[in-house]
């Protein structure tokens, strides 16, 4: 139930000496992350005994091996990125075969851009699950965003495409988006098979114009 989910979230990314770490590390790999959370949410509400045997069952290889994740702009690309402007991007997954849980991290320069308060929101990848989903995100002062999510139940998993998260930033410098870098990540199937996140493209490429155009100069080079 929620108590078990909270234990997983509290121990997520901590060390083996953290309180209740061993309880949260369900698969005994000395890490607490998406695999443990997905196993927990898969058995959410189960009262039939110790897990739903087998908790870690044989998997069908390649459930998400064709999946790719990219950062897509959700703002008007024609407008300049002036300091003070707020923009939103989506972390979008494509070609999903069977997604039950995920985690990933991103990095940015906090001197060039700022994650606005409440600026990390759940995407729509699990929106169609009747039982809902869990989504958590945290950001440190060094500019690292860590995201984790999983669907509840085991009758449904995500197929096709969907946003894993939506992020809203305030631009502090016109070159801010050049500091946004992808990190490690994992996609979990309903059989607990893990695939490393394969990032596709980058946001800077999306910002390049498709055709030359002349607009008002910014900033004014004669100031």
């Amino acid at each position: 139930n929620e108590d078990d989910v909270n234990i997983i979230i509290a121990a997520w990314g901590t060390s083996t000496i953290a309180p209740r770490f061993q309880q949260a590390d369900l698969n005994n790999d000395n890490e607490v992350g998406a695999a443990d959370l997905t196993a927990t949410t898969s058995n959410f509400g189960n009262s039939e005994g110790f897990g739903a045997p087998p908790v870690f069952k044989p998997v069908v290889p390649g459930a998400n091996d064709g999946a790719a994740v990219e950062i897509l702009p959700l703002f008007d690309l024609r407008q300049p990125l002036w300091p003070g402007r707020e923009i939103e991007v989506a972390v979008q997954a494509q070609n999903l075969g069977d997604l039950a849980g995920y985690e990933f991290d991103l990095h940015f320069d906090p001197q060039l851009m700022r994650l606005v308060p409440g600026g990390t929101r759940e995407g729509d990848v699990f929106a169609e699950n009747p039982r809902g989903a869990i989504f958590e995100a945290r950001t440190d002062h060094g500019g690292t965003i860590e995201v984790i999510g999983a669907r509840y139940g085991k009758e449904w998993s995500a197929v096709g495409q969907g946003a894993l998260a939506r992020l809203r930033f305030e631009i502090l410098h016109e070159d801010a988006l050049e500091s946004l870098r992808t990190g490690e990540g994992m996609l979990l199937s309903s059989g607990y098979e893990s695939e490393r996140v394969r990032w596709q493209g980058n946001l800077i490429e999306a910002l390049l114009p498709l055709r030359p155009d002349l607009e008002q100069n910014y900033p004014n080079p004669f100031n």
Side-chain angles (χ1 to χ4, degrees):
N1 59 23
E2 291 92 343
D3 294 335
D4 303 294
V5 171
N6 290 339
I7 290 173
I8 299 292
I9 295 299
W12 167 38
T14 62
S15 68
T16 56
I17 62 173
R20 309 186 82 169
F21 182 96
Q22 298 302 324
Q23 184 179 7
D25 183 15
L26 301 187
N27 60 356
N28 296 314
D29 64 352
N30 291 324
E31 295 181 359
V32 174
D36 307 291
L37 181 65
T38 303
T40 303
T41 58
S42 296
N43 290 285
F44 198 76
N46 172 39
S47 59
E48 299 178 355
F50 184 72
V55 174
F56 284 88
K57 59 187 178 183
V59 301
V60 178
N64 293 301
D65 62 358
V69 181
E70 59 184 327
I71 303 175
L72 297 179
L74 301 178
F75 56 92
D76 189 348
L77 299 177
R78 297 170 298 177
Q79 297 297 321
L81 296 176
W82 59 79
R85 181 184 177 187
E86 290 190 2
I87 63 168
E88 189 170 24
V89 300
V91 180
Q92 182 82 7
Q94 309 282 352
N95 302 320
L96 295 169
D98 172 14
L99 183 70
Y102 61 88
E103 64 180 323
F104 65 87
D105 55 75
L106 295 173
H107 309 277
F108 65 95
D109 188 338
Q111 301 297 318
L112 302 181
M113 58 195 300
R114 179 180 72 92
L115 189 69
V116 303
T120 306
R121 297 190 293 132
E122 182 177 4
D124 62 1
V125 69
F126 293 143
E128 296 183 7
N129 183 17
R131 300 189 64 178
I134 177 76
F135 175 85
E136 290 288 333
R138 61 191 180 200
T139 309
D140 63 22
H141 296 295
T144 295
I145 305 172
E146 297 175 307
V147 174
I148 193 169
R151 57 87 168 100
Y152 284 127
K154 58 178 59 183
E155 301 83 10
W156 182 95
S157 60
V159 177
Q161 64 180 7
L164 306 182
R166 297 178 64 157
L167 310 172
R168 191 167 187 84
F169 295 96
E170 178 188 0
I171 299 298
L172 304 179
H173 189 276
E174 59 188 37
D175 296 328
L177 289 182
E178 295 182 12
S179 75
L180 188 59
R181 308 185 313 278
T182 57
E184 297 295 323
M186 177 190 302
L187 304 177
L188 268 293
S189 72
S190 58
Y192 311 108
E193 174 202 18
S194 66
E195 291 280 351
R196 291 186 62 183
V197 167
R198 180 167 58 89
W199 295 98
Q200 177 175 284
N202 62 68
L203 190 56
I204 301 303
E205 292 176 355
L207 296 175
L208 294 176
L210 298 178
R211 61 181 176 83
D213 203 359
L214 181 64
E215 296 184 358
Q216 179 61 43
N217 53 313
Y218 177 87
N220 187 342
F222 300 105
N223 278 351

